[in-house]
Amino acid sequence: MKKEKKKFTGLFSKYLHFIPQLVLANLMFAIPMIISFALVWVIENFTAQIVFIQFLPIWFLMPFYCGLCKVAKDIIIGKEVKGVRPFLGAVKANLKYSIVHGFIFYIVALIDYFALIFYYQAGTYNAVMYVVFGLCVAVTILSVFCLFYVPVITVTLDIKLKYIYKNAALMSLGELPKNLLALLSCAACVAIVTTLFSFTGNYLGAFVTIMILLVVILPVTMAYVITAIIYPSIDKLLIEKDGKNLKDKLDPSTADSHALLVAQLEENPIDPAMLEGDENELVFYDGKMIKRAKLIEIYKSVNE
């Protein structure tokens, strides 16, 4: 409990210490955000309120959200963050993948939206449809969990697109408690902002206040909170286990490490079929995701 409290205090102190950099990153994010919302408003004024148009900012803003995640991640791991370079560098370096991410989550959001609407309305005619509606809610939540992971993995690891989604999907289920905590934290942020309506006394004042928060600090705060919660899992499963820890286990200088490895393989045998394929592909073994090359190395070190 004390360890968790100390960890939370450390993350909060980093947040306060780097407020200027976080605000700067948010201001950079606010430019495309305002443009995308303005475009939606203009298009709807000339056409009609269409969900296909309203969801477009999901696609348009994904590259810039990756920039926020990069800034948040660097602060969390203690990396130096100065000026706009980390944000712009992340946007540029991950532009290709993030555009694809934006399109994928735009389509997923549309499918989730229409599925929820359809099966909820169908439930008024057939109660069985409420069961399907519940499944749609679960799928939507899992989609949100994937959205948490995909940008952070993208700005952290240089891996193929399919492995990004494979790992994001696995951790969406495997790290359920942390994912729920991240979701509740986001909901708390939204709840705090919505209570401004009762404090301002009028809708115009509340609207202006919310717009200021969106431009100045809110998106990067949510990115920071999400990244702070899920990044340790990414570090443990995709980075640490792929590097330092496995190298320590593979150190042949001690009999203990070899015996430990043998015992691990006896408890969790490696299926030879898992060794076939791209050596850079991440595979799931012993509750962890590691590169196939490392798994081959482990297998050979024990069987030689």
Side-chain angles (χ1 to χ4, degrees):
M1 186 68 180
K2 288 183 179 180
K3 185 179 179 181
E4 292 297 323
K5 185 177 180 181
K6 185 178 180 180
K7 183 179 178 181
F8 172 78
T9 304
L11 290 170
F12 186 67
S13 63
K14 284 181 180 179
Y15 175 83
L16 294 178
H17 179 73
F18 284 96
I19 277 286
Q21 296 302 322
L22 291 169
V23 170
L24 181 60
N26 204 96
L27 290 173
M28 297 297 295
F29 177 80
I31 296 172
M33 180 180 67
I34 292 170
I35 292 172
S36 64
F37 288 165
L39 283 173
V40 170
W41 182 79
V42 170
I43 293 171
E44 287 191 338
N45 271 304
F46 284 98
T47 55
Q49 291 188 347
I50 305 172
V51 175
F52 291 97
I53 303 300
Q54 293 171 343
F55 281 18
L56 278 175
I58 297 174
W59 186 0
F60 185 72
L61 292 177
M62 183 59 74
F64 307 99
Y65 180 71
C66 285
L68 292 185
C69 291
K70 170 65 173 174
V71 172
K73 188 208 75 172
D74 286 350
I75 291 173
I76 289 165
I77 65 177
K79 194 173 180 180
E80 190 69 21
V81 177
K82 287 185 178 180
V84 299
R85 284 188 178 182
F87 178 85
L88 295 178
V91 173
K92 182 180 179 180
N94 301 286
L95 185 60
K96 180 181 176 181
Y97 274 7
S98 56
I99 289 174
V100 176
H101 296 331
F103 177 73
I104 290 173
F105 282 107
Y106 168 72
I107 297 300
V108 169
L110 287 174
I111 293 172
D112 288 341
Y113 174 81
F114 286 117
L116 289 171
I117 295 296
F118 175 80
Y119 287 110
Y120 180 77
Q121 292 178 344
T124 60
Y125 302 99
N126 186 348
V128 176
M129 291 296 102
Y130 283 125
V131 176
V132 183
F133 173 76
L135 293 174
C136 290
V137 171
V139 171
T140 301
I141 293 173
L142 289 175
S143 301
V144 173
F145 291 165
C146 277
L147 180 59
F148 290 165
Y149 283 97
V150 166
V152 183
I153 294 175
T154 300
V155 300
T156 302
L157 297 169
D158 185 16
I159 57 177
K160 293 180 181 179
L161 194 68
K162 63 180 180 179
Y163 301 142
I164 292 175
Y165 283 92
K166 177 182 176 180
N167 294 319
L170 287 170
M171 286 190 283
S172 295
L173 292 169
E175 299 295 319
L176 201 57
K178 287 186 177 181
N179 300 337
L180 290 171
L181 178 60
L183 184 63
L184 290 174
S185 299
C186 291
C189 290
V190 173
I192 291 170
V193 171
T194 53
T195 56
L196 292 172
F197 281 97
S198 61
F199 286 105
T200 54
N202 63 82
Y203 285 100
L204 179 60
F207 177 78
V208 171
T209 304
I210 291 173
M211 288 301 103
I212 291 173
L213 288 173
L214 282 172
V215 169
V216 175
I217 196 65
L218 186 59
V220 76
T221 297
M222 295 182 71
Y224 183 89
V225 170
I226 292 169
T227 306
I229 293 171
I230 70 171
Y231 182 76
S233 296
I234 294 173
D235 182 56
K236 179 181 178 182
L237 299 177
L238 302 184
I239 303 173
E240 187 179 348
K241 295 300 179 184
D242 186 38
K244 180 181 176 182
N245 283 8
L246 280 179
K247 286 181 181 177
D248 291 342
K249 285 184 177 181
L250 292 172
D251 184 3
S253 61
T254 64
D256 290 340
S257 62
H258 187 269
L260 179 64
L261 204 53
V262 171
Q264 179 185 343
L265 288 181
E266 287 178 353
E267 184 179 350
N268 299 287
I270 296 177
D271 184 355
M274 295 173 62
L275 306 177
E276 299 175 1
D278 185 357
E279 291 190 357
N280 291 317
E281 182 181 2
L282 292 162
V283 295
F284 200 76
Y285 171 70
D286 192 23
K288 313 171 188 67
M289 281 169 284
I290 62 175
K291 281 188 178 180
R292 180 174 278 113
K294 290 295 177 184
L295 195 62
I296 294 172
E297 193 175 351
I298 295 173
Y299 186 81
K300 287 181 178 180
S301 67
V302 173
N303 289 281
E304 285 179 350

